[in-house]
Amino acid sequence: MTTTVTPTLRAGDRDREAAAGLLGQALAQGYLGMAEYEARLQAAFAAQTTPELRGLTADLPISALRRNDPRRVAARRAAARRSVHIHLAAYLSMVVIVLTVWLVVGLSVGAWYFWPVWPILGAGIGVVTHALPIRNAFPSPCRARRYREMAFQQPKFE
């Protein structure tokens, strides 16, 4: 009769730090109290195997913790703003090219109809429709604080 032993992987410092990071996010987002956080954190740094670490975070909503991670939100905000900046740079270079072509044609042929208004207007609408949803999806910290303050103000009835 042979018994099979399932090997458990030993936990490394990186694994312990990842578990501690998840516990810290759970504390910050209100899933853990301070006493429970401290107990789990001590257990995380004392853990020898990965199943012990998994047991410390098994009852936490890991996907919600990662989705609401402030670092991840800041990275998404930076990427979205960078995409608007790239779109704006491409738009401005197109405006310069179109105006240069219009000026050269006007000086050489004498046709002064301002046709660049149409591509400038069309592409400008594209830039605005790209920038507005991003501005509303990722409000600046000052604007977000102002909205929170307005939401919690008591209405004044006179």
Side-chain angles (χ1 to χ4, degrees):
M1 185 164 155
T2 310
T3 60
T4 58
V5 177
T6 58
T8 57
L9 295 175
R10 293 189 56 84
D13 288 340
R14 184 175 293 168
D15 300 325
R16 290 183 195 93
E17 289 171 5
L22 285 173
L23 292 172
Q25 290 175 16
L27 172 69
Q29 295 179 26
Y31 290 103
L32 295 177
M34 183 57 85
E36 186 177 6
Y37 167 73
E38 289 175 353
R40 287 189 189 203
L41 189 63
Q42 288 177 355
F45 283 112
Q48 296 296 317
T49 62
T50 55
E52 292 174 32
L53 290 175
R54 276 190 232 111
L56 294 172
T57 59
D59 62 338
L60 297 174
I62 302 298
S63 61
L65 292 175
R66 290 185 176 146
R67 184 175 46 248
N68 297 327
D69 181 15
R71 293 173 295 187
R72 184 175 180 177
V73 171
R76 289 179 60 214
R77 179 184 297 126
R81 289 195 174 148
R82 192 175 320 118
S83 72
V84 171
H85 291 163
I86 291 170
H87 195 169
L88 185 61
Y91 170 74
L92 292 176
S93 63
M94 183 273 306
V95 167
V96 168
I97 291 170
V98 168
L99 288 177
T100 303
V101 169
W102 171 77
L103 185 62
V104 167
V105 168
L107 291 174
S108 63
V109 179
W112 291 104
Y113 172 68
F114 191 66
W115 58 266
V117 70
W118 305 116
I120 290 172
L121 186 63
I125 291 170
V127 170
V128 169
T129 58
H130 180 190
L132 285 180
I134 290 175
R135 181 174 184 249
N136 294 334
F138 299 109
S140 68
C142 295
R143 219 173 7 147
R145 184 177 6 173
R146 187 175 36 210
Y147 289 146
R148 279 194 306 269
E149 290 170 357
M150 289 183 344
F152 291 114
Q153 286 180 352
Q154 296 294 325
K156 296 179 183 177
F157 298 107
E158 295 181 29

